Amino acid sequence: MKNIVVLISGRGSNFVSIAESAKRENWLDEGIQISCVISNRPGAAGLDRAREMGIHAEVVDHKLFDTREAFEDAMMQIIDRYDPAVIVLAGFMRVLTNHFVERYPGKILNIHPALLPLFKGLDTHARAIAAGVRVHGCTVHFVSPELDAGAIIGQAVVPVLPSDDPDKLAHRGLKLEHVLYPRAVHAVATGSVKLVDGRTEMDDETALSLTLFDAAA
Ligand code: GAR
């Protein structure tokens, strides 16, 4: 069985979109299952959604640890029980150190709410509006030790409108996150997308399925 472990910090809407795709598309028939959700925040709404869906949910509260490494060790102890094929960061808002990242080479994915390499870090929607860009979007990438800099897997593009505020733009982008991320997770789980020598390898058809444009406001 190819196990997927999902790390969240809050709402968990990306986790839910992946879990719903897995169910609708019968990923289990391909030997792929979402085995566990871990949150670093005890109150994360995504934990309840996981339990409702019958997915094992755990909390590793980062506030209870003195160092990032100790926090990561506690997560790794849970994660390693599943020998996961893919570790999905879905709104997981803690920076991971090399200690964690180097343990799971080519297996950790993240979704970032911007068209990388633009707007790494936080407040991406406000910064995109302030910069006056006409397009924005989201990026799924392999996680590397440098923040938001790993090899890109897929991207989704949305327009930035004159009437936008950060919330409106975030909402438009999130709708495409929910389409892009399940596809990317599935593609990595099946092996049609791989990290090779620091670059993403896939065929043209897969690349097209991981490139989305939504001109509709
Ligand atoms: C998503 O928009 C995701 O791109 C972003 O947090 C949101 C989580 O929503 N991630 C980051 O900013 C990572 N630095 P969700 O909890 O509903 O999936």
Side-chain angles (χ1 to χ4, degrees), residues 10 15 20 46 57 59 68 84 96-97 108 116 118 126 130 165 179 205:
F15 151 64
E20 286 178 348
V59 174
R68 277 189 195 272
L96 293 166
T97 72
I108 313 173
L116 291 172
L118 287 175
D165 59 31
V179 180
E205 194 187 338

Side-chain angles (χ1 to χ4, degrees), residues 10-15 90-93 110-113 121 148 174 177:
R11 181 175 59 180
S13 71
N14 274 290
F15 151 64
F92 182 71
M93 303 307 280
N110 182 44
I111 191 157
H112 180 73
D148 297 333
L174 191 65
E177 292 190 25

Side-chain angles (χ1 to χ4, degrees), residues 67-78:
T67 63
R68 277 189 195 272
E69 280 77 9
F71 162 63
E72 291 175 351
D73 280 339
M75 285 202 297
M76 282 168 1
Q77 260 186 30
I78 298 170

